[in-house]
Amino acid sequence: LELRTIAGGNGASAYDANLQVDAAYVMVDAEFLPLLRTTFGVRYEDGTQSVTLRDLYGSTPPASPPALEEQYWLPSATATWNFYEDMQFRIGASQTIGRPQFRELAPQAYTDPESNRTFIGNPFLTDTELTNIDARYEWFFARQQYVTAGAFYKILENPVESVISAASTGDRQQSFINAPEAVIYGLELEAKKFWEFPEFGASFIANKRWLVQANYTWSQSEVRVDANDRVIDPSGSSALATYYMNDGDPLQGQSEHVVNLQLGWEDDTDRSQATLIVNYVSERITARGAGPAGAREPDYVQEPGVFLDFVYRQDFDYAGREFGLALEARNLLGTDFDEHQELGNRIRINQYDLGTSFSASLTTRF
């Protein structure tokens, strides 16, 4: 049994966090031309985010990092062309922001039980500013049924990325920095369709609406780093961004392929619903590798893989009251967690069995 005290130079024992956002917006929704609906406006935000360090032992706490105070004007505009009775084409542009999480800001060391790595926040992180442009075609060929196709392009200024550093003990620690800039672009396809077979002989088939719903997202991302770009590390020191990443690297946490498929039924007569859910996510970077430019280790990569879930719900009446029985089975394929590095050979950084879970619940209303 090992007890550790994380305090002093290794981080505060605790912290108080606060986020206050004062905001206002104005928006216009109008159809200036026949069949062309426009929505445009602007949002103003004044945000203050702070982390105040505390010491649990009564001594003087370490100096708290400065509050993150920013003001933003965030415009947006959307134009929707209803060129056919059940079809439309939409194009939009907007600016948004993403704020760091409190744990990413707090300079406090903590151990993540899933990765078994020590994390330390970076109090010098800044907000991420995003410019979003997207276009989408939508065909609503029946009630609750559709086919859509879209394209998107995003520019991210100062995105937060996880980075690995080597501690003096040789252990690997994980922290966060703001990358200079990144872009994400891609395509998205989605469809939802019901089938009914009322003339089919068996009631199990005839009384149900059979569902097929799927979407696929392909995306490409890259970090843009110039030779002279600099970042602020958790100690407050300025370092070349190329120490942590290379120009053109994929954005941390972004997968190239994401597929979701749902197969199931809805039965209003039997008051039941069942769905088989398949999800696939291709590999993604979980953290930037440690080491100086030119000798940096490869990034940590995770392969989420394929997940298969089943969800069933049955409503029924008992003693004059309505009940709902829900059954869930998750990760039926037993997909494992796999995080690794490629150093000529594949080196497993973190691998464990996620397991298969089953749950049941019974609900009613009073």
Side-chain angles (χ1 to χ4, degrees):
L1 177 64
E2 181 178 358
L3 302 179
R4 296 184 181 181
T5 299
I6 304 298
N10 293 326
S13 300
Y15 64 88
D16 297 318
N18 181 70
L19 172 62
Q20 178 176 327
V21 178
D22 299 318
Y25 74 93
V26 59
M27 184 181 70
V28 176
D29 188 342
E31 190 173 299
F32 295 105
L33 298 174
L35 304 180
L36 183 63
R37 179 179 177 180
T38 56
T39 303
F40 56 92
V42 64
R43 174 183 173 88
Y44 172 76
E45 281 197 10
D46 186 340
T48 301
Q49 186 174 8
S50 63
V51 172
T52 304
L53 305 184
R54 292 192 290 125
D55 190 283
L56 301 181
Y57 304 101
S59 59
T60 303
S64 296
L68 185 57
E69 299 182 56
E70 298 287 353
Q71 295 81 38
Y72 299 99
W73 292 95
L74 305 171
S76 65
T78 303
T80 304
W81 178 28
N82 299 104
F83 62 92
Y84 200 69
E85 183 180 26
D86 54 2
M87 297 183 188
Q88 64 183 29
F89 178 76
R90 178 168 52 85
I91 186 169
S94 65
Q95 289 186 331
T96 56
I97 60 169
R99 293 185 170 86
Q101 300 180 26
F102 290 129
R103 69 182 185 91
E104 295 174 346
L105 285 171
Q108 174 184 2
Y110 64 92
T111 300
D112 176 46
E114 291 189 0
S115 64
N116 199 33
R117 287 197 291 270
T118 300
F119 281 70
I120 300 177
N122 182 349
F124 303 99
L125 293 177
T126 60
D127 296 338
T128 301
E129 300 181 39
L130 299 91
T131 300
N132 314 286
I133 302 173
D134 67 274
R136 181 175 294 271
Y137 162 78
E138 298 170 323
W139 176 27
F140 300 94
F141 55 85
R143 183 175 179 269
Q144 296 182 337
Q145 302 177 68
Y146 51 81
V147 172
T148 69
F152 57 88
Y153 185 86
K154 301 176 183 291
I155 302 174
L156 296 81
E157 295 183 20
N158 304 318
V160 175
E161 294 227 313
S162 294
V163 296
I164 300 294
S165 61
S168 58
T169 59
D171 295 333
R172 294 296 189 261
Q173 297 179 340
Q174 189 162 335
S175 189
F176 310 92
I177 61 168
N178 286 110
E181 186 180 77
V183 296
I184 306 174
Y185 56 91
L187 303 172
E188 183 178 13
L189 303 173
E190 185 173 8
K192 183 179 181 181
K193 170 67 177 173
F194 287 106
W195 277 272
E196 296 184 56
F197 307 96
E199 306 300 327
F200 201 89
S203 60
F204 180 82
I205 302 294
N207 293 339
K208 292 177 171 57
R209 284 203 313 168
W210 297 88
L211 166 70
V212 175
Q213 182 174 359
N215 76 343
Y216 167 68
T217 301
W218 169 83
S219 61
Q220 286 287 301
S221 64
E222 59 182 49
V223 177
R224 293 177 173 174
V225 182
D226 292 333
N228 296 323
D229 284 336
R230 305 190 73 85
V231 298
I232 306 298
D233 65 23
S235 68
S237 301
S238 175
L240 287 171
T242 52
Y243 186 95
Y244 295 99
M245 63 200 70
N246 301 316
D247 184 55
D249 281 348
L251 189 65
Q252 181 252 320
Q254 187 73 23
S255 296
E256 183 177 359
H257 304 285
V258 178
V259 181
N260 299 292
L261 174 65
Q262 296 185 39
L263 305 172
W265 79 69
E266 297 178 359
D267 191 331
D268 294 335
T269 303
D270 188 50
R271 299 162 63 189
S272 64
Q273 184 180 53
T275 309
L276 190 69
I277 306 168
V278 182
N279 299 304
Y280 167 73
V281 179
S282 64
E283 69 176 26
R284 59 193 176 197
I285 295 172
T286 54
R288 301 293 178 190
R296 189 167 59 87
E297 295 178 359
D299 297 329
Y300 288 11
V301 176
Q302 179 200 358
E303 291 190 9
V306 180
F307 284 82
L308 178 64
D309 303 328
F310 179 73
V311 179
Y312 177 78
R313 180 175 178 84
Q314 175 72 62
D315 294 333
F316 61 94
D317 296 326
Y318 180 76
R321 189 177 299 280
E322 182 178 329
F323 289 86
L325 174 65
L327 304 174
E328 295 186 5
R330 302 291 183 180
N331 194 19
L332 290 170
L333 299 179
T335 302
D336 296 339
F337 182 92
D338 177 18
E339 184 184 43
H340 61 268
Q341 283 179 298
E342 295 285 350
L343 290 167
N345 297 314
R346 175 169 293 193
I347 299 176
R348 289 177 175 171
I349 301 298
N350 194 15
Q351 185 175 41
Y352 55 89
D353 184 5
L354 291 171
T356 301
S357 64
F358 300 91
S359 64
S361 64
L362 183 65
T363 60
T364 188
R365 293 186 177 92
F366 294 91

